[in-house]
Amino acid sequence: MTEHAVPDRHRGPDFPRELLAPPDPVRLPLPAPARPAPGVRLLRGAVYAVPDGSRPLEADLWLPEPARGPVPVVVFVHGGGWRTGLRDDLGPRFRHWRPGPFARLARSGPAVVCPDYRLSGEARHPAQLDDLRALLTWLRDRAGDLGLDPERVVLWGESAGGHLAALTALTAPQGPGGAATVRGCVTWYAPTDLTRLADDHPPGRFDPYDPATFEALLLGAAPAAAPGPARDASPALRVTPQAPPFLVLHGTRDELVPCAQSERLTAALRAARVPVDHVRVPGANHLWAGLAEEEVERCFDRTAAFVTRHCAGG
């Protein structure tokens, strides 16, 4: 019996292969607005990137209304061990706030952008960094449509999101160019040196050779087995004198990410003469667990004040 090849209709020499490409997110229509609180316009689920072989990546945009000229931007990066999480979730201590933290921040003046990024079950480092860089480019390209000032952007993240915010702030091109300009970065209880986690945890708490840790799943191998990627993914090891100012907050009783991790980032920033405000939050565990409500609000207010300070002017 003779075998016959099945023709591949998608690979014919005359087929215009550009038709297979996804639409350019810069040209996609923006979502219909909602108004979750007075003075806030919410665009939920705007597609900002379509990575090859992956799902479309979306962002929620909390915009002040009315806006007086192009407004600065806060990009919030969610946590979840690079493995899970929701883009609009600041953590359990904020879920009961009405209005929510992003609406509250937007009503004070800046826009707040909450993006998806590829999780470690979808792609390993540096895919997450690539996604946030793509977001900064998309923000510049769509600034006119959205009423944003791409020259005044502050990155902010909690836990794994703080790690990604810091890594993006430290490696994004500075000055005019193809991406929005990062003027500052805020981290809450973030890992910053993946090569030193075993040193910073209590003895026996973290095994750097364990391939099942959140860090190993991000890197594709245990940190001790992949020292190059672990260094590349460590914000504390990527600091240069060109870094933007930082606000670094961490609880003194954090059982998941040792407070020493933020101290390493702070030390590196100070050694490079980069402005940094390091706040040790007494008695706070990860996600601000164990912290009094007024102290949680103080952490938020510190962050809002940092945003105001570093987004001032044009």
Side-chain angles (χ1 to χ4, degrees), residues 45-113:
V47 174
Y48 76 84
V50 187
D52 186 44
S54 181
R55 62 190 167 94
L57 298 175
E58 299 180 345
D60 298 338
L61 298 100
W62 304 73
L63 306 171
E65 189 177 55
R68 297 173 178 84
V71 298
V73 183
V74 178
V75 174
F76 171 77
V77 189
H78 73 83
W82 309 281
R83 193 74 180 172
T84 187
L86 299 174
R87 62 179 179 253
D88 63 349
D89 185 20
L90 187 49
R93 297 304 305 270
F94 297 88
R95 292 171 190 158
H96 68 284
W97 279 25
R98 298 293 183 274
F102 304 129
R104 185 182 297 194
L105 190 56
R107 291 205 302 193
S108 72
V112 182
V113 179

